[in-house]
Amino acid sequence: MINDLPSQAMLADNIASVQARIAQAAKRVGRRPEEITLVAVSKTKPVELIKMAHTLGLRNFGENRVQDALPKIAEFRHESIEPVTWHMIGHLQRNKVNKVVGSFNYIQSVDDLQLAQAINRHAAELELRIAVLLQVNISGEASKEGVAPEETLALAQQVVTLPQLDVQGLMTVAPQVTDAEEVRPVFRGLRLLRDRLRVEVPQSAWQHLSMGMTDDYGIAIEEGATIVRVGRAIFGERIQRIP
Ligand SMILES: *Cc1c(COP(=O)(O)O)cnc(C)c1O
């Protein structure tokens, strides 16, 4: 099967319509579009396409597999393509932390203390601070990664004490549903949890809510998303991997 890649014109069209929909969603709830960062999820896509998206003005890219992402990040670095911000959005195993710290700028998928401590240790070795979000499993689906909502406060209190971590907020992955409206309570739940952390863990500003993907980023923005992670609406459908 051929993985059809969009042409530059098609990619430009896709980006423009995603940005227009972000602006419309923001406007519906009296927010400014500039408050929302578009992370283009480039997982499974070749680096040539990511470079094209960068040429067209995108600056934030999300990847979910360390092994796939590292060569892409290395190529941007090698060619001095800047500015660019890389977001780790997939489940991260502790034994891969050494590869992620120093390559990615954001780790959005921190969901337990030992992982956070490992990131802190490696960041200290490299003398850098790394931006992190705590991934929360709001919907409680067994298949989803993330800390349980009721355990988030305890995790937050510990993670903010790690000096190399710049804790910036929360991330969630909503369940797949047929009607995107069904996920609104999940996004609202993440925002309410964030509001509580602002009061109870004031060491962080908790400024970011990373929520919303191709099928539901409009609703996520209405519910307060500051980061949306959009793959298919920008780069086209992904070919399913055979596990
Ligand atoms: C793949 C992925 C996305 C993007 O999903 P699309 O439906 O392609 O927009 C966002 N977040 C995470 C964590 C992902 O794994």
PDB file of all heavy atoms in Angstrom, residues 15-36 184 217-223 228:
ATOM      1  N   ILE A  15      -3.335  23.230   6.727  1.00  0.00           N
ATOM      2  CA  ILE A  15      -2.878  24.061   7.851  1.00  0.00           C
ATOM      3  C   ILE A  15      -3.776  25.287   7.979  1.00  0.00           C
ATOM      4  O   ILE A  15      -4.209  25.645   9.075  1.00  0.00           O
ATOM      5  CB  ILE A  15      -1.400  24.459   7.670  1.00  0.00           C
ATOM      6  CG1 ILE A  15      -0.512  23.208   7.777  1.00  0.00           C
ATOM      7  CG2 ILE A  15      -0.980  25.500   8.703  1.00  0.00           C
ATOM      8  CD1 ILE A  15       0.939  23.432   7.358  1.00  0.00           C
ATOM      9  N   ALA A  16      -4.082  25.907   6.843  1.00  0.00           N
ATOM     10  CA  ALA A  16      -4.933  27.103   6.880  1.00  0.00           C
ATOM     11  C   ALA A  16      -6.308  26.777   7.444  1.00  0.00           C
ATOM     12  O   ALA A  16      -6.856  27.550   8.247  1.00  0.00           O
ATOM     13  CB  ALA A  16      -5.044  27.708   5.483  1.00  0.00           C
ATOM     14  N   SER A  17      -6.879  25.623   7.074  1.00  0.00           N
ATOM     15  CA  SER A  17      -8.223  25.356   7.609  1.00  0.00           C
ATOM     16  C   SER A  17      -8.180  24.981   9.077  1.00  0.00           C
ATOM     17  O   SER A  17      -9.084  25.359   9.830  1.00  0.00           O
ATOM     18  CB  SER A  17      -9.027  24.359   6.770  1.00  0.00           C
ATOM     19  OG  SER A  17      -8.242  23.293   6.384  1.00  0.00           O
ATOM     20  N   VAL A  18      -7.130  24.294   9.515  1.00  0.00           N
ATOM     21  CA  VAL A  18      -7.020  24.014  10.958  1.00  0.00           C
ATOM     22  C   VAL A  18      -6.870  25.328  11.725  1.00  0.00           C
ATOM     23  O   VAL A  18      -7.545  25.554  12.740  1.00  0.00           O
ATOM     24  CB  VAL A  18      -5.836  23.063  11.258  1.00  0.00           C
ATOM     25  CG1 VAL A  18      -5.560  22.984  12.751  1.00  0.00           C
ATOM     26  CG2 VAL A  18      -6.126  21.661  10.700  1.00  0.00           C
ATOM     27  N   GLN A  19      -6.037  26.221  11.216  1.00  0.00           N
ATOM     28  CA  GLN A  19      -5.851  27.494  11.923  1.00  0.00           C
ATOM     29  C   GLN A  19      -7.136  28.318  11.941  1.00  0.00           C
ATOM     30  O   GLN A  19      -7.450  28.976  12.943  1.00  0.00           O
ATOM     31  CB  GLN A  19      -4.681  28.268  11.313  1.00  0.00           C
ATOM     32  CG  GLN A  19      -3.348  27.683  11.810  1.00  0.00           C
ATOM     33  CD  GLN A  19      -2.130  28.149  11.035  1.00  0.00           C
ATOM     34  OE1 GLN A  19      -2.238  28.588   9.889  1.00  0.00           O
ATOM     35  NE2 GLN A  19      -0.966  28.043  11.651  1.00  0.00           N
ATOM     36  N   ALA A  20      -7.893  28.235  10.855  1.00  0.00           N
ATOM     37  CA  ALA A  20      -9.167  28.966  10.812  1.00  0.00           C
ATOM     38  C   ALA A  20     -10.146  28.388  11.834  1.00  0.00           C
ATOM     39  O   ALA A  20     -10.846  29.133  12.533  1.00  0.00           O
ATOM     40  CB  ALA A  20      -9.767  28.902   9.407  1.00  0.00           C
ATOM     41  N   ARG A  21     -10.160  27.069  11.940  1.00  0.00           N
ATOM     42  CA  ARG A  21     -11.088  26.451  12.904  1.00  0.00           C
ATOM     43  C   ARG A  21     -10.658  26.725  14.349  1.00  0.00           C
ATOM     44  O   ARG A  21     -11.505  26.861  15.229  1.00  0.00           O
ATOM     45  CB  ARG A  21     -11.178  24.941  12.653  1.00  0.00           C
ATOM     46  CG  ARG A  21     -12.003  24.624  11.395  1.00  0.00           C
ATOM     47  CD  ARG A  21     -12.255  23.136  11.253  1.00  0.00           C
ATOM     48  NE  ARG A  21     -12.941  22.573  12.432  1.00  0.00           N
ATOM     49  CZ  ARG A  21     -13.064  21.285  12.671  1.00  0.00           C
ATOM     50  NH1 ARG A  21     -12.528  20.405  11.838  1.00  0.00           N
ATOM     51  NH2 ARG A  21     -13.695  20.852  13.737  1.00  0.00           N
ATOM     52  N   ILE A  22      -9.350  26.802  14.563  1.00  0.00           N
ATOM     53  CA  ILE A  22      -8.868  27.175  15.902  1.00  0.00           C
ATOM     54  C   ILE A  22      -9.360  28.587  16.243  1.00  0.00           C
ATOM     55  O   ILE A  22      -9.877  28.844  17.333  1.00  0.00           O
ATOM     56  CB  ILE A  22      -7.323  27.096  15.965  1.00  0.00           C
ATOM     57  CG1 ILE A  22      -6.875  25.633  15.938  1.00  0.00           C
ATOM     58  CG2 ILE A  22      -6.780  27.814  17.212  1.00  0.00           C
ATOM     59  CD1 ILE A  22      -5.362  25.437  15.831  1.00  0.00           C
ATOM     60  N   ALA A  23      -9.220  29.489  15.280  1.00  0.00           N
ATOM     61  CA  ALA A  23      -9.633  30.882  15.506  1.00  0.00           C
ATOM     62  C   ALA A  23     -11.142  30.972  15.750  1.00  0.00           C
ATOM     63  O   ALA A  23     -11.593  31.698  16.645  1.00  0.00           O
ATOM     64  CB  ALA A  23      -9.230  31.743  14.312  1.00  0.00           C
ATOM     65  N   GLN A  24     -11.921  30.201  14.980  1.00  0.00           N
ATOM     66  CA  GLN A  24     -13.381  30.223  15.167  1.00  0.00           C
ATOM     67  C   GLN A  24     -13.769  29.699  16.546  1.00  0.00           C
ATOM     68  O   GLN A  24     -14.623  30.279  17.216  1.00  0.00           O
ATOM     69  CB  GLN A  24     -14.066  29.350  14.099  1.00  0.00           C
ATOM     70  CG  GLN A  24     -14.111  29.991  12.718  1.00  0.00           C
ATOM     71  CD  GLN A  24     -14.298  28.936  11.610  1.00  0.00           C
ATOM     72  OE1 GLN A  24     -14.563  27.761  11.893  1.00  0.00           O
ATOM     73  NE2 GLN A  24     -14.154  29.352  10.365  1.00  0.00           N
ATOM     74  N   ALA A  25     -13.135  28.612  16.944  1.00  0.00           N
ATOM     75  CA  ALA A  25     -13.471  28.026  18.255  1.00  0.00           C
ATOM     76  C   ALA A  25     -13.118  28.997  19.372  1.00  0.00           C
ATOM     77  O   ALA A  25     -13.884  29.185  20.323  1.00  0.00           O
ATOM     78  CB  ALA A  25     -12.744  26.697  18.440  1.00  0.00           C
ATOM     79  N   ALA A  26     -11.957  29.634  19.245  1.00  0.00           N
ATOM     80  CA  ALA A  26     -11.540  30.603  20.263  1.00  0.00           C
ATOM     81  C   ALA A  26     -12.554  31.747  20.340  1.00  0.00           C
ATOM     82  O   ALA A  26     -12.989  32.147  21.429  1.00  0.00           O
ATOM     83  CB  ALA A  26     -10.142  31.129  19.941  1.00  0.00           C
ATOM     84  N   LYS A  27     -12.957  32.219  19.172  1.00  0.00           N
ATOM     85  CA  LYS A  27     -13.886  33.343  19.105  1.00  0.00           C
ATOM     86  C   LYS A  27     -15.231  32.997  19.747  1.00  0.00           C
ATOM     87  O   LYS A  27     -15.836  33.827  20.423  1.00  0.00           O
ATOM     88  CB  LYS A  27     -14.091  33.706  17.631  1.00  0.00           C
ATOM     89  CG  LYS A  27     -14.361  35.176  17.393  1.00  0.00           C
ATOM     90  CD  LYS A  27     -14.328  35.520  15.923  1.00  0.00           C
ATOM     91  CE  LYS A  27     -15.270  36.686  15.653  1.00  0.00           C
ATOM     92  NZ  LYS A  27     -15.736  36.689  14.268  1.00  0.00           N
ATOM     93  N   ARG A  28     -15.671  31.764  19.566  1.00  0.00           N
ATOM     94  CA  ARG A  28     -16.960  31.346  20.135  1.00  0.00           C
ATOM     95  C   ARG A  28     -17.013  31.530  21.647  1.00  0.00           C
ATOM     96  O   ARG A  28     -18.083  31.724  22.214  1.00  0.00           O
ATOM     97  CB  ARG A  28     -17.238  29.861  19.813  1.00  0.00           C
ATOM     98  CG  ARG A  28     -17.672  29.587  18.386  1.00  0.00           C
ATOM     99  CD  ARG A  28     -18.376  28.224  18.260  1.00  0.00           C
ATOM    100  NE  ARG A  28     -17.519  27.079  18.497  1.00  0.00           N
ATOM    101  CZ  ARG A  28     -16.733  26.510  17.571  1.00  0.00           C
ATOM    102  NH1 ARG A  28     -16.706  26.999  16.340  1.00  0.00           N
ATOM    103  NH2 ARG A  28     -15.990  25.469  17.867  1.00  0.00           N
ATOM    104  N   VAL A  29     -15.853  31.408  22.288  1.00  0.00           N
ATOM    105  CA  VAL A  29     -15.857  31.514  23.753  1.00  0.00           C
ATOM    106  C   VAL A  29     -15.067  32.728  24.241  1.00  0.00           C
ATOM    107  O   VAL A  29     -14.658  32.797  25.407  1.00  0.00           O
ATOM    108  CB  VAL A  29     -15.311  30.215  24.411  1.00  0.00           C
ATOM    109  CG1 VAL A  29     -16.307  29.071  24.217  1.00  0.00           C
ATOM    110  CG2 VAL A  29     -13.948  29.838  23.861  1.00  0.00           C
ATOM    111  N   GLY A  30     -14.851  33.692  23.345  1.00  0.00           N
ATOM    112  CA  GLY A  30     -14.212  34.940  23.749  1.00  0.00           C
ATOM    113  C   GLY A  30     -12.741  34.809  24.087  1.00  0.00           C
ATOM    114  O   GLY A  30     -12.213  35.560  24.902  1.00  0.00           O
ATOM    115  N   ARG A  31     -12.061  33.836  23.458  1.00  0.00           N
ATOM    116  CA  ARG A  31     -10.621  33.692  23.690  1.00  0.00           C
ATOM    117  C   ARG A  31      -9.880  34.216  22.471  1.00  0.00           C
ATOM    118  O   ARG A  31     -10.426  34.298  21.382  1.00  0.00           O
ATOM    119  CB  ARG A  31     -10.260  32.216  23.923  1.00  0.00           C
ATOM    120  CG  ARG A  31     -10.961  31.604  25.111  1.00  0.00           C
ATOM    121  CD  ARG A  31     -10.525  30.155  25.302  1.00  0.00           C
ATOM    122  NE  ARG A  31      -9.092  30.056  25.539  1.00  0.00           N
ATOM    123  CZ  ARG A  31      -8.372  28.942  25.360  1.00  0.00           C
ATOM    124  NH1 ARG A  31      -8.955  27.848  24.926  1.00  0.00           N
ATOM    125  NH2 ARG A  31      -7.082  28.928  25.610  1.00  0.00           N
ATOM    126  N   ARG A  32      -8.585  34.508  22.664  1.00  0.00           N
ATOM    127  CA  ARG A  32      -7.760  34.941  21.540  1.00  0.00           C
ATOM    128  C   ARG A  32      -7.070  33.728  20.921  1.00  0.00           C
ATOM    129  O   ARG A  32      -6.513  32.902  21.653  1.00  0.00           O
ATOM    130  CB  ARG A  32      -6.704  35.959  22.001  1.00  0.00           C
ATOM    131  CG  ARG A  32      -7.311  37.331  22.373  1.00  0.00           C
ATOM    132  CD  ARG A  32      -6.266  38.287  22.906  1.00  0.00           C
ATOM    133  NE  ARG A  32      -5.599  37.755  24.096  1.00  0.00           N
ATOM    134  CZ  ARG A  32      -4.299  37.494  24.178  1.00  0.00           C
ATOM    135  NH1 ARG A  32      -3.495  37.735  23.166  1.00  0.00           N
ATOM    136  NH2 ARG A  32      -3.787  37.008  25.291  1.00  0.00           N
ATOM    137  N   PRO A  33      -7.066  33.622  19.602  1.00  0.00           N
ATOM    138  CA  PRO A  33      -6.424  32.476  18.938  1.00  0.00           C
ATOM    139  C   PRO A  33      -4.951  32.333  19.314  1.00  0.00           C
ATOM    140  O   PRO A  33      -4.434  31.214  19.355  1.00  0.00           O
ATOM    141  CB  PRO A  33      -6.563  32.790  17.446  1.00  0.00           C
ATOM    142  CG  PRO A  33      -7.634  33.806  17.338  1.00  0.00           C
ATOM    143  CD  PRO A  33      -7.710  34.539  18.638  1.00  0.00           C
ATOM    144  N   GLU A  34      -4.285  33.444  19.627  1.00  0.00           N
ATOM    145  CA  GLU A  34      -2.852  33.392  19.971  1.00  0.00           C
ATOM    146  C   GLU A  34      -2.612  32.640  21.273  1.00  0.00           C
ATOM    147  O   GLU A  34      -1.476  32.263  21.573  1.00  0.00           O
ATOM    148  CB  GLU A  34      -2.237  34.792  20.107  1.00  0.00           C
ATOM    149  CG  GLU A  34      -2.501  35.731  18.958  1.00  0.00           C
ATOM    150  CD  GLU A  34      -3.849  36.436  19.071  1.00  0.00           C
ATOM    151  OE1 GLU A  34      -4.020  37.286  19.949  1.00  0.00           O
ATOM    152  OE2 GLU A  34      -4.732  36.089  18.262  1.00  0.00           O
ATOM    153  N   GLU A  35      -3.661  32.435  22.061  1.00  0.00           N
ATOM    154  CA  GLU A  35      -3.488  31.681  23.318  1.00  0.00           C
ATOM    155  C   GLU A  35      -3.313  30.199  23.052  1.00  0.00           C
ATOM    156  O   GLU A  35      -3.003  29.446  23.962  1.00  0.00           O
ATOM    157  CB  GLU A  35      -4.747  31.825  24.195  1.00  0.00           C
ATOM    158  CG  GLU A  35      -5.003  33.194  24.755  1.00  0.00           C
ATOM    159  CD  GLU A  35      -6.406  33.266  25.396  1.00  0.00           C
ATOM    160  OE1 GLU A  35      -6.993  32.221  25.732  1.00  0.00           O
ATOM    161  OE2 GLU A  35      -6.892  34.393  25.538  1.00  0.00           O
ATOM    162  N   ILE A  36      -3.559  29.794  21.798  1.00  0.00           N
ATOM    163  CA  ILE A  36      -3.590  28.354  21.525  1.00  0.00           C
ATOM    164  C   ILE A  36      -2.420  27.951  20.626  1.00  0.00           C
ATOM    165  O   ILE A  36      -2.215  28.529  19.556  1.00  0.00           O
ATOM    166  CB  ILE A  36      -4.937  27.968  20.880  1.00  0.00           C
ATOM    167  CG1 ILE A  36      -6.060  28.235  21.901  1.00  0.00           C
ATOM    168  CG2 ILE A  36      -4.949  26.493  20.462  1.00  0.00           C
ATOM    169  CD1 ILE A  36      -7.260  28.851  21.322  1.00  0.00           C
ATOM    170  N   ARG A 184     -16.786  16.354  25.625  1.00  0.00           N
ATOM    171  CA  ARG A 184     -16.731  17.652  26.317  1.00  0.00           C
ATOM    172  C   ARG A 184     -16.505  17.500  27.831  1.00  0.00           C
ATOM    173  O   ARG A 184     -15.676  18.218  28.412  1.00  0.00           O
ATOM    174  CB  ARG A 184     -17.988  18.471  26.012  1.00  0.00           C
ATOM    175  CG  ARG A 184     -17.914  19.900  26.501  1.00  0.00           C
ATOM    176  CD  ARG A 184     -19.205  20.667  26.220  1.00  0.00           C
ATOM    177  NE  ARG A 184     -19.433  20.950  24.810  1.00  0.00           N
ATOM    178  CZ  ARG A 184     -18.870  21.950  24.135  1.00  0.00           C
ATOM    179  NH1 ARG A 184     -18.039  22.772  24.745  1.00  0.00           N
ATOM    180  NH2 ARG A 184     -19.139  22.135  22.857  1.00  0.00           N
ATOM    181  N   TYR A 217     -10.767  19.090  18.399  1.00  0.00           N
ATOM    182  CA  TYR A 217     -10.000  20.213  18.952  1.00  0.00           C
ATOM    183  C   TYR A 217     -10.834  21.473  19.127  1.00  0.00           C
ATOM    184  O   TYR A 217     -10.527  22.302  19.996  1.00  0.00           O
ATOM    185  CB  TYR A 217      -8.711  20.479  18.162  1.00  0.00           C
ATOM    186  CG  TYR A 217      -8.868  20.891  16.717  1.00  0.00           C
ATOM    187  CD1 TYR A 217      -8.923  22.236  16.358  1.00  0.00           C
ATOM    188  CD2 TYR A 217      -8.936  19.945  15.708  1.00  0.00           C
ATOM    189  CE1 TYR A 217      -9.046  22.614  15.028  1.00  0.00           C
ATOM    190  CE2 TYR A 217      -9.066  20.306  14.377  1.00  0.00           C
ATOM    191  CZ  TYR A 217      -9.122  21.649  14.044  1.00  0.00           C
ATOM    192  OH  TYR A 217      -9.248  22.007  12.727  1.00  0.00           O
ATOM    193  N   GLY A 218     -11.908  21.625  18.332  1.00  0.00           N
ATOM    194  CA  GLY A 218     -12.784  22.791  18.504  1.00  0.00           C
ATOM    195  C   GLY A 218     -13.433  22.788  19.880  1.00  0.00           C
ATOM    196  O   GLY A 218     -13.462  23.806  20.581  1.00  0.00           O
ATOM    197  N   ILE A 219     -13.925  21.625  20.264  1.00  0.00           N
ATOM    198  CA  ILE A 219     -14.574  21.492  21.572  1.00  0.00           C
ATOM    199  C   ILE A 219     -13.552  21.678  22.692  1.00  0.00           C
ATOM    200  O   ILE A 219     -13.814  22.332  23.706  1.00  0.00           O
ATOM    201  CB  ILE A 219     -15.271  20.117  21.679  1.00  0.00           C
ATOM    202  CG1 ILE A 219     -16.432  20.079  20.675  1.00  0.00           C
ATOM    203  CG2 ILE A 219     -15.761  19.844  23.087  1.00  0.00           C
ATOM    204  CD1 ILE A 219     -17.083  18.725  20.542  1.00  0.00           C
ATOM    205  N   ALA A 220     -12.356  21.129  22.492  1.00  0.00           N
ATOM    206  CA  ALA A 220     -11.303  21.275  23.507  1.00  0.00           C
ATOM    207  C   ALA A 220     -10.968  22.757  23.718  1.00  0.00           C
ATOM    208  O   ALA A 220     -10.785  23.206  24.858  1.00  0.00           O
ATOM    209  CB  ALA A 220     -10.059  20.494  23.088  1.00  0.00           C
ATOM    210  N   ILE A 221     -10.923  23.517  22.634  1.00  0.00           N
ATOM    211  CA  ILE A 221     -10.624  24.952  22.753  1.00  0.00           C
ATOM    212  C   ILE A 221     -11.750  25.668  23.496  1.00  0.00           C
ATOM    213  O   ILE A 221     -11.504  26.510  24.362  1.00  0.00           O
ATOM    214  CB  ILE A 221     -10.377  25.559  21.360  1.00  0.00           C
ATOM    215  CG1 ILE A 221      -9.044  25.042  20.809  1.00  0.00           C
ATOM    216  CG2 ILE A 221     -10.391  27.090  21.409  1.00  0.00           C
ATOM    217  CD1 ILE A 221      -8.833  25.300  19.333  1.00  0.00           C
ATOM    218  N   GLU A 222     -12.990  25.287  23.190  1.00  0.00           N
ATOM    219  CA  GLU A 222     -14.115  25.885  23.929  1.00  0.00           C
ATOM    220  C   GLU A 222     -13.996  25.611  25.422  1.00  0.00           C
ATOM    221  O   GLU A 222     -14.438  26.401  26.250  1.00  0.00           O
ATOM    222  CB  GLU A 222     -15.445  25.316  23.418  1.00  0.00           C
ATOM    223  CG  GLU A 222     -15.814  25.791  22.024  1.00  0.00           C
ATOM    224  CD  GLU A 222     -17.079  25.124  21.489  1.00  0.00           C
ATOM    225  OE1 GLU A 222     -17.759  24.383  22.240  1.00  0.00           O
ATOM    226  OE2 GLU A 222     -17.367  25.321  20.310  1.00  0.00           O
ATOM    227  N   GLU A 223     -13.387  24.477  25.772  1.00  0.00           N
ATOM    228  CA  GLU A 223     -13.257  24.098  27.182  1.00  0.00           C
ATOM    229  C   GLU A 223     -11.918  24.554  27.786  1.00  0.00           C
ATOM    230  O   GLU A 223     -11.601  24.192  28.910  1.00  0.00           O
ATOM    231  CB  GLU A 223     -13.429  22.592  27.342  1.00  0.00           C
ATOM    232  CG  GLU A 223     -14.834  22.100  27.011  1.00  0.00           C
ATOM    233  CD  GLU A 223     -15.921  22.706  27.910  1.00  0.00           C
ATOM    234  OE1 GLU A 223     -15.610  23.045  29.073  1.00  0.00           O
ATOM    235  OE2 GLU A 223     -17.068  22.855  27.439  1.00  0.00           O
ATOM    236  N   VAL A 228      -3.372  22.242  21.283  1.00  0.00           N
ATOM    237  CA  VAL A 228      -4.101  21.163  20.610  1.00  0.00           C
ATOM    238  C   VAL A 228      -3.100  20.340  19.815  1.00  0.00           C
ATOM    239  O   VAL A 228      -2.121  20.867  19.288  1.00  0.00           O
ATOM    240  CB  VAL A 228      -5.244  21.689  19.708  1.00  0.00           C
ATOM    241  CG1 VAL A 228      -6.350  22.302  20.553  1.00  0.00           C
ATOM    242  CG2 VAL A 228      -4.729  22.702  18.691  1.00  0.00           C
TER     243      VAL A 228
END
